[in-house]
Amino acid sequence: MPRRAFALATLSALTTAGCGAGAGTAEVGRPGTTAGGRAGSRAGGAGTAGAEGATGAPGARALTEMRGEWMATVENRDWPSRPGLTAAAQRAELLVHLDRAVRNRLNTVILQVRPTADALWPSPYEPWSQFLTGTQGRDPGWDPLGTAVREAHARGLQLHAWFNPYRIANHTDPGRLIAGHPARVHPDWAVPYGGKLYYNPGLPAVRAFVRRAILDAVARYPVDAVHFDDYFYPYPEDGEDFADDDAYERHRGDFTSRADWRRDNIDRLVREMAAGIKRVRPGTRFGISPFGVWRNATTDPLGSDTDAGAQTYDDLYADTRRWVREHWIDYVAPQLYWEIGASGADYATLLDWWARVAEGTGTRLYIGEALYRAGAAGADGRPAAWQDPAELSRHLTLAARRPQVEGHVFFAAQDVAADPVGAMRRVVEDHYTRAASPPR
């Protein structure tokens, strides 16, 4: 698909040469469009280090660490299994996921509750999600977010509410949206791009609306965190321009660079959202899981020693490094969806880069892990490393040597359930022999 059609696209491109990402397989965040892969960066040494500690020392990890999973609802990626199930069946499926998280000694579920400018709670701003009933705006007969918060807390799990800020629909036809949808009431807010419909981040009215829609959920429910994935401005499509000329002319202020103006629009969203969360429900945290490459070092000496096809700073206009360094967000969970030794984007290289970025900032660092890539060699363009059930366990072994890393989040819930090659089972056996509390 949270967190990942694009993830798979960049994954396949970058995986061939060693790159990929996403917090919703193609939905929770997909990676860039072109492969990196000209020079391996520290691949050999990192791979060796990971192999040496593959089994880890049971119980050696701290008893306070993030152990999370994403649960994508867009296109019914993880839950519900299909639209149109009864309320009782949807609830039962949700509880199975929560119970499985407990059995695997996870402590946090990041549930996608606003996948496409819609809601998994009775929002006064946006319609009920079509991924519940099959029809946008139709009441599912229960409150999924409220139930998820209550049932997660009853099991000792944290519930992070995951919102996609700007995606309106996975098509470009406003006429297919429910009558009264904000994108139909305000057609000037919407921009078709890459086969999808997006709110225009350059409009102050859009930013204010997105904030109101999200903070409604924060006000209603004691969610432990608000979570954004890697979708800000959309990933670039060859031959297409994001049509924001009018917004740029009207709202650019003193900016002479459209790229700088776009980054400022996203910076404003992040700062204003952080302030709104603190105002509405003090103690609720704000976390973001960006694509794993801020910038390549060949573009910027502050960047990572990678050759990734997408760079969040340049392509999504998201200055993720700044958000961490200036502590605008409470935690960052970069999607490091590559294997140890990948030639275009080595997991170990990026792990070290993010550890240096987060050090001393007060922003907690968790690592997004590509459980969904574990499977047969060659499937979906996966490198052979992902056939090895120990690959992910080696990731955790490497991370355990970096004190800045305070845990991991796995994409995604359905992959935790299926675990085709036993990669998640291996992680639990090697690293999660005892329960752990999430950082607070």
Side-chain angles (χ1 to χ4, degrees):
M1 140 160 256
R3 211 173 208 318
R4 289 160 211 271
F6 206 75
L8 285 181
T10 292
L11 266 184
S12 37
L14 293 181
T15 71
T16 321
C19 266
T25 48
E27 243 321 306
V28 158
R30 315 173 254 199
T33 49
T34 56
R38 286 184 277 281
S41 29
R42 294 186 297 172
T48 303
E52 288 172 354
T55 57
R61 297 292 302 232
L63 292 184
T64 299
E65 66 176 351
M66 167 61 75
R67 297 177 182 176
E69 68 175 14
W70 282 289
M71 190 182 301
T73 58
V74 66
E75 304 296 346
N76 301 98
R77 199 276 177 193
D78 294 316
W79 173 83
S81 59
R82 60 180 175 83
L85 294 175
T86 65
Q90 290 178 6
R91 183 178 185 278
E93 286 188 351
L94 174 65
L95 298 188
V96 167
H97 280 296
L98 298 181
D99 288 339
R100 184 181 296 109
V102 172
R103 287 198 303 275
N104 283 312
R105 300 188 189 92
L106 303 181
N107 54 35
T108 302
V109 172
I110 302 176
L111 174 64
Q112 191 175 35
V113 299
R114 186 179 184 262
T116 53
D118 51 11
L120 270 73
W121 76 96
S123 169
Y125 299 102
E126 294 177 307
W128 282 105
S129 176
Q130 65 181 340
F131 305 121
L132 295 171
T133 64
T135 301
Q136 189 175 68
R138 179 178 293 171
D139 189 332
W142 70 304
D143 181 355
L145 176 53
T147 301
V149 172
R150 183 174 62 254
E151 295 291 347
H153 289 173
R155 289 162 173 76
L157 298 167
Q158 288 198 356
L159 196 291
H160 294 200
W162 164 18
F163 305 84
N164 186 285
Y166 292 121
R167 183 176 53 222
I168 298 172
N170 288 333
H171 57 76
T172 59
D173 182 6
R176 292 171 56 185
L177 303 173
I178 187 175
H181 191 289
R184 293 185 67 175
V185 175
H186 304 281
D188 57 310
W189 287 6
V191 179
Y193 183 83
K196 294 180 172 61
L197 204 58
Y198 297 92
Y199 283 128
N200 188 342
L203 298 178
V206 163
R207 196 168 63 242
F209 171 78
V210 167
R211 216 168 47 244
R212 285 195 302 273
I214 293 173
L215 290 176
D216 176 70
V218 178
R220 289 171 184 261
Y221 308 104
V223 297
D224 296 287
V226 167
H227 184 92
F228 285 175
D229 55 26
D230 56 323
Y231 286 93
F232 296 99
Y233 279 87
Y235 282 92
E237 297 281 345
D238 289 342
E240 286 197 56
D241 293 320
F242 191 81
D244 59 358
D245 289 358
D246 184 63
Y248 179 54
E249 290 304 316
R250 286 191 288 137
H251 301 293
R252 69 180 181 179
D254 295 332
F255 284 101
T256 56
S257 160
R258 189 177 310 217
D260 288 343
W261 170 75
R262 286 177 173 174
R263 274 185 288 273
D264 183 66
N265 293 331
I266 304 303
D267 283 350
R268 287 172 182 267
L269 173 74
V270 171
R271 289 198 309 269
E272 292 165 1
M273 182 57 60
I277 294 166
K278 288 179 173 60
R279 182 181 68 252
V280 171
R281 192 175 290 274
T284 295
R285 282 153 294 151
F286 183 27
I288 296 178
S289 56
F291 177 68
V293 176
W294 171 71
R295 301 186 97 182
N296 297 319
T298 51
T299 304
D300 186 325
L302 293 176
S304 52
D305 184 13
T306 52
D307 187 19
Q311 303 172 90
T312 59
Y313 182 93
D314 303 273
D315 298 313
L316 309 183
Y317 306 98
D319 193 352
T320 53
R321 181 181 181 276
R322 182 183 187 186
W323 305 344
V324 173
R325 296 297 298 171
E326 299 193 17
H327 194 25
W328 292 357
I329 54 180
D330 297 301
Y331 72 81
V332 65
Q335 298 169 25
L336 303 193
Y337 290 176
W338 298 273
E339 68 275 14
I340 295 169
S343 58
D346 175 18
Y347 177 91
T349 296
L350 283 164
L351 181 71
D352 286 343
W353 187 86
W354 280 103
R356 291 192 299 271
V357 167
E359 186 171 14
T361 64
T363 302
R364 295 185 184 277
L365 173 62
Y366 314 136
I367 303 300
E369 300 286 353
L371 176 62
Y372 74 99
R373 299 192 67 195
D380 296 328
R382 298 181 184 107
W386 292 102
Q387 187 180 24
D388 185 351
E391 174 68 23
L392 280 184
S393 181
R394 285 193 280 267
H395 291 194
L396 272 67
T397 298
L398 279 178
R401 301 169 187 168
R402 280 88 176 157
Q404 302 90 342
V405 178
E406 298 187 59
H408 302 260
V409 186
F410 300 91
F411 190 82
Q414 195 54 49
D415 305 280
V416 172
D419 199 19
V421 295
M424 190 68 206
R425 183 175 67 252
R426 182 66 179 267
V427 165
V428 174
E429 291 172 352
D430 290 351
H431 301 278
Y432 295 168
T433 58
R434 292 184 288 168
S437 300
R440 298 183 182 276

